[in-house]
Amino acid sequence: DNALQSSFFSRVSSWATRWLFSTNHKDIGTLYLIFGAFSGLLGLVFSMAIRMELSQPGNTFLEGNHQLYNVLVTAHAFLMIFFMLMPSMIGGFGNWM
């Protein structure tokens, strides 16, 4: 059992060292693309909340909290531009070229 644990931890350590401390441009580009994909999913959640609020007339999903709606729209824009689009295009594809 102890040998199994040490083998598992050595594999995890090897994986973390390869990906988190890499100077290989393709690995760095891949990390940027993964980060962009995760941020895109988070932006999608914000977009769905905005769409649910606008799906019917009146105050439906956010229960009349107009400040929260403004925060959602602004956070969605920042996420999609600065955390999804720019890292994916500049960091991801730029490092892969």
Side-chain angles (χ1 to χ4, degrees):
D1 188 45
N2 194 13
L4 183 63
Q5 278 184 335
S6 66
S7 172
F8 172 75
F9 287 123
S10 68
R11 281 184 282 150
V12 168
S13 175
S14 169
W15 176 87
T17 302
R18 179 184 189 271
W19 282 100
L20 299 179
F21 301 111
S22 177
T23 57
N24 181 4
H25 68 99
K26 299 239 182 211
D27 291 345
I28 294 170
T30 302
L31 288 174
Y32 271 114
L33 289 172
I34 291 169
F35 176 73
F38 175 74
S39 298
L41 290 175
L42 196 57
L44 177 73
V45 170
F46 283 10
S47 173
M48 289 292 118
I50 294 167
R51 288 173 182 265
M52 286 172 65
E53 176 64 26
L54 296 175
S55 65
Q56 296 179 10
N59 302 321
T60 55
F61 181 66
L62 299 177
E63 298 174 355
N65 193 344
H66 304 300
Q67 182 179 358
L68 181 58
Y69 177 78
N70 289 338
V71 167
L72 277 174
V73 170
T74 305
H76 168 74
F78 272 103
L79 271 171
M80 296 306 277
I81 294 170
F82 295 113
F83 291 94
M84 197 251 335
L85 182 72
M86 291 178 72
S88 297
M89 293 300 193
I90 297 170
F93 295 125
N95 276 309
W96 265 84
M97 292 292 171

